[in-house]
Amino acid sequence: MKLVNKFVDKHGAGHVTIRPEDDEDMWHLYNLIQEGDLVRAPAVRRITSTSATGSTDSHRVRLNLTVQAKKEGSNGGDQDESSPSAVLHIIGPVTSENVHVKLGAYHTLDIEAFRDVRIEKQDGWDSIALGRVEESTIPGRGAEVGAVVCGEGVAAFCLLSQHMTLVTHRLTVPIPRKSSSTGASQHDKGMEKFYSTVFEAFLRHIPYASVSLKAIIIASPGWVRDSVYEYIVNQALNRGDKTLHKAMKEKGMKVHISSAHVHSLVEVLKSPEVANRLKETKYAREGITLDKFFKMLGSDEMRAWYGPDHVRLAADRGAIGTLLISDDLFRSSDPATRKGYVSMVEAVQHKGAEVVIFSSMHESGQQLNQLTGVAAILTFPLDIEVVEREERE
């Protein structure tokens, strides 16, 4: 994401102009733009004009329009259901004078990569929104982990970056069963075709030569991961591809998972060997923090609270050591709700607690959303019933 222009005063009033450059930037925009925001971007409008003789002529006009966001949507191609699309649709009434469009007329802005988008927030820019702008415009972002989640005859290729898990490709190769000596031969041929197909897809969809890629994970429930890993390494040697061979030796990891499903990536990120390799990345930190919360919930529930009301009570008493909060909560259509969560984060940070904002584009964020989207690990135990009784009194 490129920051084109930023003018925000100390009260949060002002605007930010940014230029998305890839799918992850679209996810950042999706999080930045909220209902009520004024969004200005290039648009195409069909204009119909009538001549003096009564004939009509229709043509398209390119112009810049400002709309007040009322609804957002996305339109993706062949991507996983959890990934953002390459186009973000912002629907709302036009709020700026224009010779071709009446004020108040509804229009859809189709926001695409490499087009400037100006955002002005009616309620002002809060610390969470400004932090996301700064975070998204840091140079050198991108995929930090490439993963192949596979089983016998199936594979999914994933790229994990700071804010999302993107499934770039899926494949299925029919594998005959081992029912006889002939069947065993057919089975072996099927597996050989599967390994070859996985290898070719790996070259296309995993940026193994990228400096930013910290790990290449081959994960499966059984022995398939070992065979896939060995096949890739052997093919690199046979082809004399030193870059691929070095990448697999330095970054390659084989990890056991319970099922050949993309959701099993949560298990991958929590495994000790992967967590140690990726301890500096944001999504690994999310998984480790959520795992710590669940363990605390099982061993000392008075130090593991979740739910908006309970977490606020803990925050008021300065008891929070780590706050876990989903970025979905900052997208609430109710401004008062959004401001409430922003105030909670700022108050907790002011008292020296750690705040981990979970991306709902990662499995750990989706798990947190099932717990209302907000939880806390307390520095000392508190009895919820006692605290609620004190509040009533």
Side-chain angles (χ1 to χ4, degrees):
M1 184 99 73
K2 181 178 180 181
L3 180 62
V4 178
N5 190 314
K6 177 184 173 185
F7 178 75
V8 180
D9 63 23
K10 62 181 181 180
H11 302 294
H15 63 266
V16 173
T17 303
I18 48 185
R19 183 179 303 153
E21 297 179 339
D22 54 31
D23 281 359
E24 185 171 355
D25 290 346
M26 291 300 175
W27 172 244
H28 283 293
L29 274 179
Y30 178 75
N31 276 301
L32 278 174
I33 299 174
Q34 299 165 328
E35 186 173 334
D37 290 355
L38 300 180
V39 183
R40 185 172 182 82
V44 177
R45 187 86 173 189
R46 182 178 290 278
I47 305 298
T48 302
S49 57
T50 305
S51 66
T53 60
S55 62
T56 59
D57 177 53
S58 180
H59 59 282
R60 292 180 176 273
V61 177
R62 291 188 175 275
L63 63 166
N64 286 316
L65 286 180
T66 303
V67 304
Q68 185 173 28
K70 295 294 184 184
K71 184 181 178 182
E72 297 174 46
S74 60
N75 182 24
D78 185 19
Q79 297 187 19
D80 184 67
E81 64 274 8
S82 64
S83 65
S85 72
V87 180
L88 183 64
H89 304 306
I90 307 298
I91 304 171
V94 175
T95 61
S96 60
E97 292 282 355
N98 192 286
V99 295
H100 297 293
V101 186
K102 294 181 180 179
L103 284 175
Y106 268 70
H107 186 85
T108 300
L109 292 178
D110 296 328
I111 299 177
E112 300 177 353
F114 302 104
R115 293 186 179 181
D116 292 358
V117 182
R118 171 174 157 160
I119 306 169
E120 181 179 349
K121 294 191 172 290
Q122 295 285 69
D123 299 320
W125 289 82
D126 56 49
S127 60
I128 300 297
L130 287 174
R132 187 170 287 278
V133 170
E134 294 172 3
E135 193 176 89
S136 65
T137 53
I138 296 173
R141 289 182 308 109
E144 294 180 308
V145 174
V148 182
V149 180
C150 52
E152 192 168 329
V154 297
F157 297 80
C158 311
L159 294 178
L160 287 78
S161 60
Q162 190 172 6
H163 291 283
M164 62 186 247
T165 300
L166 178 65
V167 179
T168 59
H169 185 63
R170 297 178 188 270
L171 63 84
T172 302
V173 176
I175 308 294
R177 291 185 177 181
K178 288 183 178 180
S179 55
S180 64
S181 58
T182 305
S185 174
Q186 292 299 316
H187 177 272
D188 292 342
K189 289 181 180 179
M191 289 304 297
E192 184 66 24
K193 182 180 179 181
F194 170 65
Y195 297 142
S196 174
T197 305
V198 168
F199 177 73
E200 295 300 328
F202 180 92
L203 296 180
R204 293 195 306 271
H205 298 286
I206 302 296
Y208 57 87
S210 173
V211 177
S212 64
L213 203 69
K214 293 182 173 63
I216 299 172
I217 296 171
I218 312 295
S220 78
W223 49 267
V224 177
R225 63 183 181 277
D226 298 313
S227 299
V228 169
Y229 180 89
E230 290 172 8
Y231 188 92
I232 295 174
V233 172
N234 290 335
Q235 285 297 310
L237 286 172
N238 294 338
R239 298 186 181 198
D241 191 336
K242 295 181 180 179
T243 302
L244 175 57
H245 186 263
K246 181 180 179 182
M248 292 302 295
K249 289 299 182 181
E250 294 181 353
K251 304 176 183 179
M253 305 178 72
K254 295 175 287 185
V255 181
H256 172 78
I257 51 177
S258 59
S259 68
H261 195 282
V262 174
H263 293 317
S264 297
L265 282 173
V266 173
E267 299 176 38
V268 173
L269 296 177
K270 287 195 297 186
S271 64
E273 62 270 33
V274 175
N276 185 59
R277 176 82 64 91
L278 306 176
K279 59 185 177 182
E280 299 302 321
T281 60
K282 182 178 185 293
Y283 47 84
R285 181 169 162 238
E286 291 176 9
I288 292 169
T289 304
L290 188 63
D291 194 42
K292 182 180 177 182
F293 171 81
F294 282 128
K295 287 180 179 177
M296 185 67 74
L297 189 62
S299 62
D300 189 0
E301 62 178 14
M302 288 190 182
R303 289 186 56 199
W305 286 23
Y306 63 91
D309 294 337
H310 290 164
V311 173
R312 284 194 183 94
L313 290 176
D316 290 342
R317 282 157 176 74
I320 294 179
T322 304
L323 176 67
L324 299 74
I325 188 165
S326 168
D327 57 9
D328 268 1
L329 299 181
F330 302 116
R331 294 191 45 75
S332 170
S333 58
D334 179 22
T337 301
R338 291 199 305 266
K339 288 182 178 179
Y341 285 118
V342 172
S343 298
M344 178 193 294
V345 168
E346 292 174 343
V348 168
Q349 287 176 327
H350 182 70
K351 293 177 181 177
E354 179 187 20
V355 175
V356 181
I357 300 178
F358 284 65
S359 169
S360 56
M361 290 298 290
H362 286 310
E363 185 69 20
S364 56
Q366 294 167 18
Q367 288 184 1
L368 181 60
N369 284 338
Q370 294 174 4
L371 285 176
T372 73
V374 62
I377 300 173
L378 309 190
T379 55
F380 52 87
L382 281 177
D383 189 319
I384 290 178
E385 294 182 359
V386 172
V387 172
E388 288 180 333
R389 185 169 63 249
E390 290 175 353
E391 287 294 312
R392 289 194 297 271
E393 292 174 353

